[in-house]
Amino acid sequence: MYFCQMFLRIMKKGILVLGLLLMTVSCSEYQQLLKSTETAEKYTAAEELYNEGKAEDSNKKLRKSLRLLEQIEPEFRGKPQGERLVFLLADTYYQLGDYINAPFQFQRFLQLYPNSQKAEEATYKKASSHYYMSPRYDLDQTDTHKAIEELQVYLNEYPEGEFVESANEKATELRIKLEKKAYEIAKQYHHTEFYKAAIASFNNFISDYPGSPFREDAYYYRFDSAYKLAINSFQFLMEERLEEAKEFYKAYKKYYPEGEYIPQLEDSLSEIDKRLQNF
């Protein structure tokens, strides 16, 4: 039993040493390849590392491929392999999540090879790079607008393309993000009791985003802002503002006759009618 345990320990250590030795040899060969002037060997190794990196989701192999691709890409410009190399370079940035360099490289690919079979994929991934750079809704949305623009370019150029479903899903998600930002800004005015600004913002929101999932909420908070503005107004302004709130109530009821805010609206309407009797 003792000898069996000793044998197993020796075997485990041997396997570990062998693994480390192979890694050392592999790293040494890679470093030699980086220093080599053999572009053909570098091309083959770069493509192998790229394919393995994608298949295994290995950033380490993708980064190794990227270093080789960056070295040899200029050497193949104007040659048959150039098209493949420029695409691989762009897609390696994309696979690594470098969404700053990826769209630039895909754009360069499209300029150099506009008729390539990879043009559709490059157009989509260029747009997707901007999609992944889009921040959460409460931050600056410059990248979101850019992503929507680029996704629309793809959809216009390839209406029956391979990535249409994904592009539409991404574009819809980004539009909802913009809607949420606009809605939350208007709602913040309401919650901080800047009711005039809230009414104006909700008016703009309803006009700009007719199909928004936040539309019912916007109708309700527009009414509630008008109602609270009215009941807190000077007497000479109150009647007109109560009437405006009542119009907003009617607008909500028109589109959402069984909406979730009906109980609150009915309570507020009773107060409005009671106050209007005094005028």
Side-chain angles (χ1 to χ4, degrees), residues 25-58:
V25 170
S26 176
C27 290
S28 175
E29 288 177 352
Y30 178 73
Q31 292 301 324
Q32 289 176 6
L33 188 59
L34 284 174
K35 296 173 185 176
S36 170
T37 57
E38 295 295 327
T39 53
E41 290 181 15
K42 289 184 177 183
Y43 179 97
T44 302
E47 188 154 24
E48 285 178 359
L49 286 164
Y50 165 82
N51 290 329
E52 289 172 7
K54 278 187 69 175
E56 300 168 15
D57 196 21
S58 170

Side-chain angles (χ1 to χ4, degrees), residues 117-118 120-122 124-125 154-155 158-167:
Q117 291 184 343
K118 288 287 188 179
E120 180 190 344
E121 185 176 349
Y124 170 73
K125 287 184 173 178
Y154 169 80
L155 291 167
Y158 303 97
E160 305 294 330
E162 177 184 356
F163 307 100
V164 163
E165 184 177 352
S166 175

Side-chain angles (χ1 to χ4, degrees), residues 115-134:
N115 299 318
S116 170
Q117 291 184 343
K118 288 287 188 179
E120 180 190 344
E121 185 176 349
T123 303
Y124 170 73
K125 287 184 173 178
K126 177 190 170 190
S128 289
S129 297
H130 291 289
Y131 162 82
Y132 290 119
M133 288 175 67
S134 173

Side-chain angles (χ1 to χ4, degrees), residues 16-279:
L16 179 61
V17 170
L18 180 61
L20 291 171
L21 182 61
L22 288 172
M23 284 178 64
T24 303
V25 170
S26 176
C27 290
S28 175
E29 288 177 352
Y30 178 73
Q31 292 301 324
Q32 289 176 6
L33 188 59
L34 284 174
K35 296 173 185 176
S36 170
T37 57
E38 295 295 327
T39 53
E41 290 181 15
K42 289 184 177 183
Y43 179 97
T44 302
E47 188 154 24
E48 285 178 359
L49 286 164
Y50 165 82
N51 290 329
E52 289 172 7
K54 278 187 69 175
E56 300 168 15
D57 196 21
S58 170
N59 282 356
K60 183 177 180 181
K61 288 186 176 181
L62 287 168
R63 281 193 289 268
K64 283 185 173 182
S65 175
L66 183 63
R67 288 188 67 186
L68 292 169
L69 290 167
E70 288 175 333
Q71 279 190 354
I72 64 175
E73 188 270 325
E75 302 294 327
F76 285 90
R77 288 176 188 170
K79 297 179 181 178
Q81 302 95 324
E83 179 181 336
R84 174 70 175 159
L85 273 174
V86 176
F87 181 83
L88 286 181
L89 182 63
D91 199 48
T92 304
Y93 279 119
Y94 182 82
Q95 299 298 330
L96 285 167
D98 185 345
Y99 301 123
I100 294 175
N101 282 308
F104 169 78
Q105 294 295 342
F106 280 123
Q107 178 61 30
R108 190 166 73 91
F109 172 81
L110 290 166
Q111 289 174 339
L112 291 170
Y113 308 102
N115 299 318
S116 170
Q117 291 184 343
K118 288 287 188 179
E120 180 190 344
E121 185 176 349
T123 303
Y124 170 73
K125 287 184 173 178
K126 177 190 170 190
S128 289
S129 297
H130 291 289
Y131 162 82
Y132 290 119
M133 288 175 67
S134 173
R136 65 176 192 260
Y137 79 89
D138 56 328
L139 299 176
D140 179 75
Q141 295 301 306
T142 301
D143 287 318
T144 304
H145 286 287
K146 180 65 176 174
I148 292 172
E149 179 186 323
E150 292 290 340
L151 287 164
Q152 195 58 55
V153 167
Y154 169 80
L155 291 167
N156 290 342
E157 291 185 10
Y158 303 97
E160 305 294 330
E162 177 184 356
F163 307 100
V164 163
E165 184 177 352
S166 175
N168 274 317
E169 288 174 357
K170 284 181 169 65
T172 298
E173 180 187 332
L174 295 176
R175 290 189 184 103
I176 290 174
K177 184 185 290 188
L178 294 178
E179 291 169 14
K180 184 172 178 60
K181 184 179 179 70
Y183 168 74
E184 291 294 341
I185 288 172
K187 194 175 176 182
Q188 185 66 21
Y189 284 133
H190 171 274
H191 288 347
T192 52
E193 301 182 3
F194 289 98
Y195 296 126
K196 284 186 179 181
I199 294 167
S201 295
F202 282 123
N203 279 334
N204 290 335
F205 179 87
I206 291 166
S207 174
D208 293 341
Y209 306 108
S212 172
F214 308 107
R215 189 169 181 261
E216 180 182 353
D217 301 84
Y219 270 94
Y220 168 71
Y221 282 110
R222 180 179 68 168
F223 161 79
D224 197 53
S225 296
Y227 165 71
K228 288 175 178 172
L229 176 66
I231 64 174
N232 290 289
S233 295
F234 291 113
Q235 192 73 8
F236 73 95
L237 293 172
M238 188 177 293
E239 182 179 13
E240 181 182 351
R241 289 176 175 177
L242 287 169
E243 292 290 357
E244 181 181 47
K246 199 166 183 177
E247 290 303 312
F248 290 152
Y249 163 84
K250 291 176 183 177
Y252 179 94
K253 284 277 288 185
K254 176 182 177 182
Y255 293 106
Y256 306 100
E258 297 181 6
E260 65 172 298
Y261 295 104
I262 290 295
Q264 297 96 308
L265 268 74
E266 297 294 351
D267 288 344
S268 298
L269 182 66
S270 296
E271 180 64 22
I272 289 171
D273 287 338
K274 189 186 299 181
R275 288 175 181 258
L276 283 171
Q277 289 174 5
N278 297 325
F279 291 94

